[in-house]
Amino acid sequence: ANLTLLAHISIMADKRDAFYSGTKAVTKEDVESVPFDARFPSCNQTKHCWQSYVDFHKCIKLKGEGYAGCKQFMKAYMSLCPTAWVEKWDGQMADGTFAYKENLA
């Protein structure tokens, strides 16, 4: 299980490095349990995962791909979301079919 997690972190870090070419690369030490967020008080973190993914893409759309403040959202969704979901959403973002009220691409 740890090897799978490390492989997931490595893949996700490689994919996200493109967004942060001028900042420190994400490492396995950067991925940690997400702190408490009062918007998501229950133990089911599905909505928190999705919202963090959306917030990350909204942030880079508004502030630019190198904006360091967006990293908190990336770390949250990398920690909370299953790889399969992120890969599916990334594909939908690329295709322009991601289900959100505004275009995040």
Side-chain angles (χ1 to χ4, degrees):
N2 282 342
L3 182 58
T4 303
L5 176 61
L6 292 176
H8 167 72
I9 291 169
S10 176
I11 290 167
M12 296 304 289
D14 290 345
K15 290 175 75 175
R16 300 306 158 215
D17 284 347
F19 289 114
Y20 297 101
S21 58
T23 61
K24 177 182 169 273
V26 176
T27 65
K28 67 179 181 177
E29 288 79 25
D30 291 324
V31 180
E32 56 193 32
S33 293
V34 177
F36 178 75
D37 186 332
R39 298 175 299 167
F40 309 101
S42 70
C43 60
N44 184 343
Q45 294 296 301
T46 302
K47 173 69 174 165
H48 192 179
C49 155
W50 182 83
Q51 190 64 55
S52 296
Y53 183 85
V54 168
D55 288 347
F56 171 72
H57 287 282
K58 285 172 63 174
C59 184
I60 62 172
K61 183 177 180 181
L62 293 171
K63 299 289 187 174
E65 292 181 351
Y67 184 69
C70 299
K71 190 173 184 178
Q72 70 181 11
F73 301 118
M74 180 189 70
K75 287 172 64 175
Y77 86 75
M78 285 177 58
S79 176
L80 293 168
C81 302
T83 306
W85 293 5
V86 173
E87 289 173 350
K88 178 180 178 183
W89 296 337
D90 285 346
Q92 291 172 342
M93 291 285 285
D95 296 341
T97 59
F98 182 73
Y100 190 67
K101 61 187 173 188
E102 63 188 67
N103 182 2
L104 297 175

